Amino acid sequence: MSKKAIVIPNAPSPAGPYSQGIVANGFLYTAGFGPQDPATGEVPEGVAEQTRQVLRNIEAVLTEAGATFADVVKVTTHLQHLKRDFDEYNGAYLEFFPAPFPVRTTVGSDLYDILVEIDVVAALPQQI
C-alpha cells in the first residue's frame, strides 16, 4: 500500500503529529477539522457558521485530492451540544452535500472551545 499526505496552507494546520488528509488505495481520509479560518485563525459564532467553516476547510483538502463533496462516502461529526445544535448543524450540512448523501455518524463530544468537528472519507474519482 502506498499513501500520500495532503498538507495545504488553505486548511487549518495540524495541531499535532497528523496530516490534513491521507490518500490511500483510492480513498481520501481527512483529519477531523474544526471551524478555524486558516487565514485568520478566527472561529465563527454559532453551530451553523462553524459547520460551514469546517466544511470549507474539508473542501480545500478534497479539492487538493481532486475530489468534491459528491465523492464523500462517509462523514463523522462531533457536536458539543448534540441535542441543542443538531437541527442547525444539519441545515448547514445540507448546503454542501448532494444526494445521494454519504453515510454519517453524528455524536455528542466534549470539544475544546468549538461546537463542531468533522472528518470525511471520499472515494477518489482518479488516483493521485
Side-chain angles (χ1 to χ4, degrees):
M1 173 188 81
S2 66
K3 64 182 184 177
K4 177 183 176 181
I6 304 286
V7 181
I8 57 175
N10 55 333
S13 296
Y18 60 88
S19 300
Q20 293 163 321
I22 291 286
V23 173
N25 294 331
F27 289 91
L28 167 67
Y29 303 85
T30 73
F33 281 98
Q36 294 80 8
D37 181 309
T40 66
E42 297 294 316
V43 173
E45 294 292 323
V47 73
E49 283 307 313
Q50 286 195 18
T51 299
R52 290 181 186 101
Q53 183 60 55
V54 168
L55 292 173
R56 286 190 292 269
N57 294 339
I58 290 171
E59 185 173 38
V61 177
L62 288 168
T63 299
E64 181 69 17
T68 70
F69 284 108
D71 300 308
V72 173
V73 295
K74 172 74 170 110
V75 176
T76 302
T77 300
H78 299 265
L79 293 176
Q80 177 76 1
H81 306 287
L82 181 61
K83 189 173 182 180
R84 181 190 81 186
D85 288 345
F86 182 83
D87 289 341
E88 195 174 343
Y89 146 77
N90 199 52
Y93 174 96
L94 284 168
E95 296 171 15
F96 289 81
F97 288 94
F101 300 113
V103 298
R104 181 174 80 182
T105 301
T106 305
V107 297
S109 294
D110 186 15
L111 301 173
Y112 186 71
D113 291 335
I114 59 173
L115 299 174
V116 61
E117 180 177 325
I118 301 172
D119 66 86
V120 304
V121 177
L124 296 176
Q126 59 189 18
Q127 195 69 28
I128 300 181

